[in-house]
């Protein structure tokens, strides 16, 4: 059984066919990058997997289960988490508060039970906080822990987005342009964390990125979309030398980028 499988996905917005019969298979434990020019349909693909969009046609299965039958909150319970291309954090809240919010799907005790079974709710809360602190340590966000999101540089906000998704303890992580707005140094750290998330945490990653050095450095496989269609799929070296991909997206200069 395939781990995550997208079959013949089509979605239209008025006259625009954002995805046109797109198929993709993701193996458990791999980093699969999805690349392509602006408007190729990459974010739309993530929006379909995370159930924000309803495709017109096609099928998406996770471990054999048809996830198009599920609602967005049920997708996160299955262990599929994502970051957003346009940051979706609470800007008036602190880093730790935003990361704790990533744990909301695990919360069992409501306000009433918190009042009655105070001890149980308290233990649950401690567990959530411990997990959030682990994420803060993992992404080396300690110095920013109590700062409000709105006061942080964009690159750090992107990391907090990643932290909020990791707090979900996902099995699959969809990362949408996490490196955009990051400095060279932050991007180099991000490359290491992506490999750590894959290898140490055992998370399967689907990466949407325009930074080809990052893509070529961390990907096991790469799928290429152009105008909502699959145009290529393969190992980084194959993609870099694929003439159709070079013409549609990479250009001759990027084609020689090495990790
Ligand atoms: N909600 C929507 N309503 C109308 N059109 C949409 C909507 N979502 C996406 N589209 C259109 O679908 C196409 C694909 O957009 P998408 O955001 O998926 O591209 P992308 O590959 O993520 O591009 P980028 O690299 O710039 O982020 C674009 O033409 C876009 O305008
Ligand atoms: Mg996008």
């Amino acid at each position: 059984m395939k781990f995550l499988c997208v079959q013949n996905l089509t979605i239209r917005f008025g006259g625009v066919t954002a995805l046109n019969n797109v198929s993709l298979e993701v193996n458990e434990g791999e980093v699969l990058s999805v690349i392509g020019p602006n408007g190729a349909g990459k974010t739309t693909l993530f929006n379909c997997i995370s159930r924000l969009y309803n495709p017109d046609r096609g099928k998406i299965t996770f471990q054999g289960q048809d996830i198009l039958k599920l609602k967005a909150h049920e997708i996160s319970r299955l262990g599929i988490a994502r970051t957003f291309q346009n940051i979706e954090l609470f800007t008036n809240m602190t880093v730790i508060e935003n990361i704790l919010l990533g744990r909301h799907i695990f919360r069992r005790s409501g306000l009433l039970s918190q009042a009655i079974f105070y001890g149980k709710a308290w233990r649950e809360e401690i567990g959530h906080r411990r997990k959030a602190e682990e994420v803060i340590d993992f992404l080396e966000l300690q110095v920013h822990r109590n700062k409000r999101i709105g006061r942080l540089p964009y690159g750090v906000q992107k990391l907090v987005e990643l932290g909020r998704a990791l707090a979900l303890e996902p099995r699959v992580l969809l990362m949408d342009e996490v490196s955009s707005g990051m400095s060279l140094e932050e991007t180099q750290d991000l490359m290491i964390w992506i490999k750590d998330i894959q290898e140490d945490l055992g998370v399967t990653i689907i990466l949407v990125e325009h930074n080809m050095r990052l893509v070529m450095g961390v990907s096991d496989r790469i799928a290429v979309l152009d105008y909502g269609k699959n145009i290529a799929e393969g190992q980084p070296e194959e993609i870099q030398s694929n003439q159709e991909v070079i013409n549609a997206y990479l250009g001759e200069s990027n084609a020689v980028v090495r990790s």
Side-chain angles (χ1 to χ4, degrees):
M1 185 199 310
K2 285 288 169 192
F3 192 57
L4 181 69
C5 196
V6 173
Q7 286 168 276
N8 310 108
L9 212 62
T10 296
I11 181 166
R12 292 185 195 86
F13 299 101
V16 177
T17 305
L19 294 174
N20 192 349
N21 214 23
V22 165
S23 296
L24 201 70
E25 282 185 357
V26 188
N27 302 313
E28 184 166 13
E30 76 176 341
V31 175
L32 172 75
S33 284
V34 179
I35 65 171
N38 299 118
K42 305 176 299 290
T43 299
T44 303
L45 175 69
F46 277 8
N47 285 341
C48 290
I49 296 174
S50 53
R51 300 296 294 113
L52 298 180
Y53 288 173
N54 251 328
D56 298 309
R57 269 197 301 122
K59 198 171 171 184
I60 307 177
T61 56
F62 178 55
Q63 295 193 299
Q65 184 177 1
D66 179 356
I67 64 171
L68 290 182
K69 294 205 172 98
L70 303 177
K71 302 214 161 49
H73 70 273
E74 294 171 315
I75 296 296
S76 36
R77 284 216 189 97
L78 272 187
I80 301 176
R82 72 174 290 178
T83 70
F84 289 88
Q85 184 170 354
N86 303 312
I87 296 173
E88 304 235 343
L89 295 168
F90 292 92
T91 49
N92 279 326
M93 291 168 75
T94 64
V95 168
I96 183 74
E97 286 167 344
N98 270 278
I99 290 179
L100 262 172
L101 276 176
R103 301 282 305 170
H104 75 278
I105 59 154
F106 297 111
R107 285 183 199 280
R108 292 181 200 290
S109 11
L111 275 184
L112 184 63
S113 66
Q114 279 181 26
I116 300 171
F117 304 109
Y118 186 73
K120 180 166 164 272
W122 180 244
R123 274 195 301 280
E124 196 185 306
E125 186 60 31
I126 289 191
H128 291 314
R129 285 185 181 265
R130 190 174 297 135
K131 188 70 216 170
E133 297 296 350
E134 273 175 36
V135 169
I136 295 237
D137 287 346
F138 182 79
L139 295 176
E140 294 172 17
L141 283 166
Q142 297 93 338
V143 288
H144 301 299
R145 188 183 178 285
N146 297 317
K147 294 182 190 159
R148 289 187 198 283
I149 296 297
R151 293 172 174 267
L152 292 171
Y154 191 74
V156 180
Q157 294 189 21
K158 284 278 192 180
L159 261 194
V160 179
E161 267 263 319
L162 177 59
R164 188 181 54 175
L166 282 179
L168 254 137
E169 298 179 75
R171 303 189 57 202
V172 181
L173 178 61
L174 315 178
M175 296 175 61
D176 199 349
E177 293 193 32
V178 173
S179 83
S180 77
M182 284 189 177
S183 66
L184 189 63
E185 199 189 337
E186 286 169 331
T187 309
Q188 279 164 351
D189 286 344
L190 180 66
M191 275 175 86
I192 296 167
W193 284 320
I194 290 173
K195 291 316 272 183
D196 288 348
I197 293 167
Q198 176 191 26
E199 286 162 14
D200 300 347
L201 306 183
V203 178
T204 304
I205 298 172
I206 312 180
L207 191 72
V208 163
E209 263 302 332
H210 285 293
N211 181 330
M212 283 308 110
R213 196 170 287 278
L214 175 58
V215 167
M216 296 303 166
V218 301
S219 307
D220 297 303
R221 287 190 308 128
I222 299 173
V224 190
L225 298 183
D226 188 27
Y227 289 109
K229 287 188 178 164
N230 296 100
I231 63 163
E233 196 179 310
Q235 313 237 314
E237 314 79 63
E238 295 172 75
I239 295 300
Q240 271 179 307
S241 54
N242 179 311
Q243 198 56 48
E244 195 181 355
V245 178
I246 294 171
N247 293 346
Y249 180 56
L250 289 182
E252 297 295 339
S253 57
N254 261 321
V256 295
V257 168
R258 293 280 180 265
S259 55

